[in-house]
Amino acid sequence: MTTRGSDLPVSSNAMTGFALVVHEFVTNAAKYGALSTDTGYVDLECRDYGDTLELVWIERGGPSVTPADKEGFGTRLARTTIEGQFGGEIVRQWHPEGLVIRLIVPKGRLQ
């Protein structure tokens, strides 16, 4: 796993929800995605756009991916947390070479 980008403070009130979402991403990557293979990796980038934070999760080197037939509990929980608690947006893109997830969150909701 590689990480890069801006370091931004996250309040204790926002930390639990944010950590829960990232934990869901890691769990899914380990079960079904790039982290389920010896050659897979995750590239995580944090982008600061002034009033908005974008967290980009890119999986590569794992099995070919396709969209799930239905939204599971963890996916619903992540979406509800990002949209409800943080007033943000979660965007998933399934590419044959790996999953890309973008979290777009107003920075004010993280402090």
Side-chain angles (χ1 to χ4, degrees):
M1 177 177 252
T2 60
T3 60
R4 66 178 181 276
S6 304
D7 288 333
L8 298 170
V10 177
S11 73
S12 58
N13 290 338
M15 183 59 69
T16 301
F18 208 74
L20 181 72
V21 170
V22 173
H23 181 270
E24 179 62 24
F25 295 169
V26 172
T27 300
N28 285 341
K31 290 166 92 175
Y32 315 110
L35 300 181
S36 70
T37 69
D38 291 337
T39 58
Y41 65 94
V42 173
D43 186 22
L44 184 63
E45 183 176 2
C46 184
R47 299 173 181 168
D48 184 348
Y49 292 112
D51 292 339
T52 305
L53 163 74
E54 181 180 28
L55 187 72
V56 182
W57 172 279
I58 301 171
E59 296 184 31
R60 294 290 184 259
S64 182
V65 297
T66 57
D69 293 336
K70 64 179 184 167
E71 191 176 72
F73 175 76
T75 301
R76 280 194 314 274
L77 181 62
R79 182 178 43 77
T80 301
T81 300
I82 294 302
E83 292 174 0
Q85 180 179 353
F86 297 118
E89 178 183 8
I90 185 168
V91 178
R92 287 181 178 78
Q93 299 168 312
W94 287 268
H95 302 286
E97 65 275 9
L99 176 66
V100 176
I101 305 171
R102 287 184 161 72
L103 299 180
I104 301 119
V105 179
K107 285 182 5 187
R109 300 291 285 269
L110 296 174
Q111 285 137 14

